[in-house]
Amino acid sequence: FWQMSFTQPDQTVLAMATLRGRPLVLNFWGTWCPPCIKEMPDLDRFARGPFAQRGGRVLGLAVDNPTAVREFLARSPVGYTIGLAGFDGTDLSRQLGNTTGGMPFTAVFNRQGAVVQRKLGITSAAELEGWTKDL
């Protein structure tokens, strides 16, 4: 996972290795997924709050068509990093513990790069803060 890289909507490349060593909330989402869209404002608030002040990052990996993601973000921008995983992102989410491949799926990584929390379904800022307060 830490050797992977993802193109971002602005065509720049995000190397996962650059995020290692800091807490990371990784969220798999799609523009076609109503629960994914519903949780995005909470993820955005969380990404800008105390978690960021502690060095944490939020990364949304879009399991979607790049054009659809760019159009969606033009209408509904977020302040956290977005990577384009394409439909192969479902396989990656399974490798990280998402046994059903459903979305949204969130994995929380500690500073050592290990997954310490997983959730299939909508998360909230309060839930995320609870999971990450000691990272």
Side-chain angles (χ1 to χ4, degrees), residues 12-132:
T12 60
V13 175
L14 172 67
M16 293 306 301
T18 65
L19 300 179
R20 192 160 193 170
R22 56 188 354 182
L24 175 68
V25 171
L26 177 63
N27 177 261
F28 291 85
W29 70 285
T31 62
W32 45 267
C33 168
C36 300
I37 293 166
K38 182 177 180 180
E39 76 177 350
M40 288 179 91
D42 264 359
L43 280 167
D44 199 31
R45 276 189 294 282
F46 173 75
R48 297 169 193 258
F51 183 61
Q53 296 163 9
R54 294 191 308 270
R57 292 283 299 270
V58 174
L59 171 60
L61 282 183
V63 180
D64 208 328
N65 172 292
T67 301
V69 173
R70 288 184 188 97
E71 290 173 356
F72 175 85
L73 292 172
R75 292 187 311 272
S76 303
V78 294
Y80 57 92
T81 305
I82 299 291
L84 303 173
F87 294 104
D88 291 338
T90 302
D91 292 334
L92 176 57
S93 76
R94 283 191 173 105
Q95 292 170 24
L96 294 173
N98 182 3
T99 56
T100 66
M103 289 198 312
F105 176 73
T106 303
V108 178
F109 294 81
N110 65 16
R111 292 179 188 276
Q112 293 73 41
V115 176
V116 296
Q117 183 70 45
R118 295 174 181 90
K119 182 176 181 184
L120 177 61
I122 294 174
T123 61
S124 68
E127 187 172 46
L128 291 165
E129 189 58 44
W131 293 341
T132 60

